[in-house]
Amino acid sequence: MAPNLFPTATFAVLLSALFAANLFELPYPYSSSDDFDDQLISKQLISSSTHADFGPFEIVPIDGALGPESYAFDSLGEGPYTGVSDGRIIKWQENQRRWIDFAVTSPNRSRCEGSHDHHRTEHLCGRPLGLRFNKTSGDLYIADAYMGLLVVGPEGGLATRVATQAQGVPFVFSNGLDINEKTGVLYFTDSSSRYQRRNYLSVILSGDKTGRLMRYDPQTKQVDVLLGNLSFPNGVALSENNDFLLIAETTTCRIIRYWLQTPKAGTSEVFAQLPGFPDNIKRSPRGGFWVGIHSRRKRIFKLILSYPFIGKIILVLPFDIMEFYTHLAKWRGRGLMMRLSEAGDVLDMLEDGSGVKWKAVSEVEEKDGNLWIGSIHKPYAGKFKFK
């Protein structure tokens, strides 16, 4: 081995061991406070893909792609619709038990589909993340990681861009999305102004705080920045009466509440501290909010986030940190999802301790007695049915 490669190889082996070791897992909180007590919610934790209130876990395969990030149902209740790794938005046809193509976000479809590493072409083909229907118009709004904020009509096809920048700063990593069904106003996130989705780990390791929460009004075509200096803002969800908005801040493992109404309007506060890195957040029809958690936060990450220079050193090492982490994620990690009350307390918690069926959970969408589970790594949608 060349002498100049020895430090890099040594560090890579050490880093691999730290990421893989179970001893670096942190316990999870049971409420919005910083206190930890596993015993209080241990009865809500499972180590397999069944739960007392649910039937068996169902796999809904997706052909030719993976990573159903987020789900949406149209005004007729049909779907779900989801965006996948090759840039397509597909629709589940329950009566036919198959997915059909619905829309795309990029006109460039050359070499997008087929069996290859879509991660290397997603900046050209598009990567639809947040999805939300305007139930009045039937339009589907899309937050695409590379193409910005788009909309497509009820018949699908090529989506149209409606916003690509705010206050002169281009969107670099458009992500989560929700819509006020009464006014049609959209709320969405741009996770970073420096790093694209294909380098999402760099957002965390660098301590990047260029993320933004924004509002788009389809009537005026105006985009307003509501919050800035966020650390990897991800999913967003409006409260039942639209008086506040919740934002999943991935790097800090917390949920932020931004007040839209009441005397607190325009202010924000920590809503809940979580045991891992949250992705999307969706309102539950039974009350509260479902949070998909990518993975538990381990002490190695806590160390890196406490000392930003460590993450910056990792990023300048001469190897692909994203490829390294993606490889590890195939073998480590487990699925975790939580339902929080409107006060930030844990109502439900599901975890696949084996990590075989569902891991890197991106979203939980509750609809008609089913839980649809998204994951950025899996070539299928997951589904639990209430008994």
Side-chain angles (χ1 to χ4, degrees), residues 184-207:
V185 170
L186 286 87
Y187 299 90
F188 66 104
T189 56
D190 188 36
S191 295
S192 173
S193 297
R194 296 175 58 198
Y195 297 102
Q196 293 182 322
R197 181 194 176 275
R198 53 185 175 156
N199 296 312
Y200 71 84
L201 198 58
S202 298
V203 183
I204 298 175
L205 293 177
S206 69

Short mmCIF file of all heavy atoms in Angstrom, two decimals, residues 184-207:
data_model
loop_
_atom_site.label_atom_id
_atom_site.label_comp_id
_atom_site.label_asym_id
_atom_site.label_seq_id
_atom_site.Cartn_x
_atom_site.Cartn_y
_atom_site.Cartn_z
N GLY A 184 -55.01 26.81 -0.68
CA GLY A 184 -54.17 26.37 -1.79
C GLY A 184 -52.71 26.79 -1.64
O GLY A 184 -51.89 26.50 -2.52
N VAL A 185 -52.37 27.47 -0.55
CA VAL A 185 -50.99 27.91 -0.33
C VAL A 185 -50.13 26.71 0.04
O VAL A 185 -50.54 25.85 0.82
CB VAL A 185 -50.94 28.98 0.79
CG1 VAL A 185 -49.51 29.28 1.20
CG2 VAL A 185 -51.63 30.25 0.31
N LEU A 186 -48.91 26.66 -0.53
CA LEU A 186 -47.99 25.56 -0.30
C LEU A 186 -46.86 25.98 0.63
O LEU A 186 -46.39 27.12 0.59
CB LEU A 186 -47.38 25.07 -1.61
CG LEU A 186 -48.27 24.27 -2.54
CD1 LEU A 186 -49.04 25.19 -3.46
CD2 LEU A 186 -47.43 23.31 -3.37
N TYR A 187 -46.41 25.02 1.42
CA TYR A 187 -45.24 25.21 2.28
C TYR A 187 -44.24 24.12 1.91
O TYR A 187 -44.60 22.94 1.81
CB TYR A 187 -45.63 25.11 3.75
CG TYR A 187 -46.62 26.17 4.16
CD1 TYR A 187 -47.99 25.94 4.07
CD2 TYR A 187 -46.19 27.42 4.63
CE1 TYR A 187 -48.90 26.92 4.43
CE2 TYR A 187 -47.10 28.40 4.99
CZ TYR A 187 -48.45 28.15 4.88
OH TYR A 187 -49.35 29.13 5.23
N PHE A 188 -42.99 24.49 1.71
CA PHE A 188 -42.00 23.50 1.28
C PHE A 188 -40.61 23.88 1.79
O PHE A 188 -40.39 25.01 2.25
CB PHE A 188 -42.00 23.36 -0.25
CG PHE A 188 -41.54 24.58 -1.00
CD1 PHE A 188 -40.28 24.63 -1.57
CD2 PHE A 188 -42.38 25.67 -1.16
CE1 PHE A 188 -39.86 25.75 -2.28
CE2 PHE A 188 -41.97 26.80 -1.87
CZ PHE A 188 -40.70 26.83 -2.42
N THR A 189 -39.70 22.91 1.69
CA THR A 189 -38.34 23.13 2.19
C THR A 189 -37.32 23.01 1.07
O THR A 189 -37.52 22.29 0.10
CB THR A 189 -37.97 22.11 3.28
OG1 THR A 189 -38.14 20.78 2.78
CG2 THR A 189 -38.82 22.30 4.52
N ASP A 190 -36.24 23.74 1.23
CA ASP A 190 -35.03 23.57 0.44
C ASP A 190 -33.96 23.17 1.46
O ASP A 190 -33.57 23.98 2.30
CB ASP A 190 -34.66 24.87 -0.27
CG ASP A 190 -33.50 24.70 -1.25
OD1 ASP A 190 -33.44 23.64 -1.90
OD2 ASP A 190 -32.68 25.62 -1.39
N SER A 191 -33.52 21.91 1.42
CA SER A 191 -32.71 21.37 2.50
C SER A 191 -31.33 22.00 2.61
O SER A 191 -30.73 22.01 3.68
CB SER A 191 -32.56 19.85 2.34
OG SER A 191 -33.81 19.23 2.50
N SER A 192 -30.82 22.50 1.50
CA SER A 192 -29.50 23.13 1.51
C SER A 192 -29.35 24.03 0.30
O SER A 192 -29.90 23.74 -0.77
CB SER A 192 -28.39 22.08 1.51
OG SER A 192 -27.11 22.67 1.36
N SER A 193 -28.62 25.11 0.46
CA SER A 193 -28.28 25.99 -0.65
C SER A 193 -26.88 25.68 -1.18
O SER A 193 -26.39 26.37 -2.08
CB SER A 193 -28.36 27.46 -0.23
OG SER A 193 -29.67 27.80 0.16
N ARG A 194 -26.26 24.63 -0.61
CA ARG A 194 -24.88 24.28 -1.00
C ARG A 194 -24.77 22.88 -1.57
O ARG A 194 -24.01 22.65 -2.50
CB ARG A 194 -23.95 24.39 0.21
CG ARG A 194 -23.79 25.78 0.78
CD ARG A 194 -22.95 25.73 2.05
NE ARG A 194 -21.64 25.15 1.81
CZ ARG A 194 -20.85 24.68 2.78
NH1 ARG A 194 -21.26 24.70 4.04
NH2 ARG A 194 -19.67 24.16 2.48
N TYR A 195 -25.51 21.94 -1.01
CA TYR A 195 -25.35 20.53 -1.39
C TYR A 195 -26.61 19.97 -2.03
O TYR A 195 -27.72 20.19 -1.53
CB TYR A 195 -25.00 19.69 -0.17
CG TYR A 195 -23.69 20.05 0.48
CD1 TYR A 195 -23.67 20.81 1.66
CD2 TYR A 195 -22.48 19.64 -0.07
CE1 TYR A 195 -22.47 21.13 2.27
CE2 TYR A 195 -21.28 19.97 0.54
CZ TYR A 195 -21.27 20.72 1.70
OH TYR A 195 -20.08 21.05 2.30
N GLN A 196 -26.43 19.21 -3.11
CA GLN A 196 -27.55 18.54 -3.75
C GLN A 196 -27.90 17.25 -3.00
O GLN A 196 -27.16 16.79 -2.13
CB GLN A 196 -27.20 18.20 -5.20
CG GLN A 196 -27.02 19.41 -6.09
CD GLN A 196 -26.73 19.02 -7.53
OE1 GLN A 196 -26.01 18.07 -7.81
NE2 GLN A 196 -27.30 19.77 -8.47
N ARG A 197 -29.03 16.69 -3.37
CA ARG A 197 -29.49 15.48 -2.69
C ARG A 197 -28.48 14.34 -2.80
O ARG A 197 -28.30 13.57 -1.85
CB ARG A 197 -30.83 15.02 -3.28
CG ARG A 197 -31.36 13.77 -2.60
CD ARG A 197 -32.49 13.12 -3.37
NE ARG A 197 -32.89 11.87 -2.72
CZ ARG A 197 -32.31 10.70 -2.92
NH1 ARG A 197 -31.30 10.59 -3.77
NH2 ARG A 197 -32.74 9.61 -2.29
N ARG A 198 -27.84 14.20 -3.94
CA ARG A 198 -26.89 13.09 -4.10
C ARG A 198 -25.68 13.22 -3.18
O ARG A 198 -24.87 12.30 -3.08
CB ARG A 198 -26.44 12.97 -5.56
CG ARG A 198 -25.90 14.24 -6.16
CD ARG A 198 -25.61 14.05 -7.63
NE ARG A 198 -25.19 15.29 -8.26
CZ ARG A 198 -24.47 15.35 -9.37
NH1 ARG A 198 -24.08 14.23 -9.95
NH2 ARG A 198 -24.16 16.51 -9.89
N ASN A 199 -25.57 14.36 -2.50
CA ASN A 199 -24.54 14.56 -1.49
C ASN A 199 -25.16 14.89 -0.13
O ASN A 199 -24.62 15.67 0.64
CB ASN A 199 -23.60 15.69 -1.91
CG ASN A 199 -22.83 15.36 -3.17
OD1 ASN A 199 -22.26 14.29 -3.30
ND2 ASN A 199 -22.83 16.28 -4.13
N TYR A 200 -26.32 14.26 0.15
CA TYR A 200 -27.07 14.65 1.35
C TYR A 200 -26.29 14.42 2.64
O TYR A 200 -26.48 15.13 3.62
CB TYR A 200 -28.42 13.93 1.41
CG TYR A 200 -28.38 12.46 1.70
CD1 TYR A 200 -28.31 11.98 3.01
CD2 TYR A 200 -28.46 11.53 0.68
CE1 TYR A 200 -28.29 10.62 3.28
CE2 TYR A 200 -28.44 10.17 0.93
CZ TYR A 200 -28.36 9.72 2.23
OH TYR A 200 -28.33 8.38 2.50
N LEU A 201 -25.40 13.42 2.65
CA LEU A 201 -24.63 13.19 3.87
C LEU A 201 -23.71 14.37 4.17
O LEU A 201 -23.40 14.66 5.33
CB LEU A 201 -23.80 11.91 3.73
CG LEU A 201 -23.26 11.30 5.02
CD1 LEU A 201 -24.39 10.96 5.99
CD2 LEU A 201 -22.42 10.07 4.73
N SER A 202 -23.29 15.08 3.12
CA SER A 202 -22.43 16.26 3.31
C SER A 202 -23.16 17.37 4.05
O SER A 202 -22.55 18.17 4.76
CB SER A 202 -21.93 16.77 1.96
OG SER A 202 -21.14 15.81 1.30
N VAL A 203 -24.48 17.42 3.87
CA VAL A 203 -25.27 18.43 4.59
C VAL A 203 -25.12 18.23 6.09
O VAL A 203 -24.96 19.18 6.86
CB VAL A 203 -26.76 18.36 4.18
CG1 VAL A 203 -27.56 19.46 4.89
CG2 VAL A 203 -26.92 18.48 2.67
N ILE A 204 -25.13 16.97 6.52
CA ILE A 204 -25.02 16.65 7.94
C ILE A 204 -23.59 16.80 8.44
O ILE A 204 -23.33 17.48 9.43
CB ILE A 204 -25.52 15.21 8.20
CG1 ILE A 204 -27.01 15.09 7.83
CG2 ILE A 204 -25.32 14.83 9.67
CD1 ILE A 204 -27.56 13.67 7.94
N LEU A 205 -22.65 16.20 7.72
CA LEU A 205 -21.27 16.18 8.19
C LEU A 205 -20.63 17.57 8.22
O LEU A 205 -19.78 17.85 9.05
CB LEU A 205 -20.43 15.26 7.31
CG LEU A 205 -20.77 13.77 7.39
CD1 LEU A 205 -19.92 12.97 6.40
CD2 LEU A 205 -20.57 13.24 8.80
N SER A 206 -21.04 18.44 7.29
CA SER A 206 -20.45 19.78 7.23
C SER A 206 -21.05 20.75 8.23
O SER A 206 -20.53 21.84 8.43
CB SER A 206 -20.62 20.35 5.82
OG SER A 206 -21.98 20.63 5.55
N GLY A 207 -22.18 20.35 8.85
CA GLY A 207 -22.88 21.27 9.73
C GLY A 207 -23.59 22.38 8.97
O GLY A 207 -23.86 23.45 9.52
#
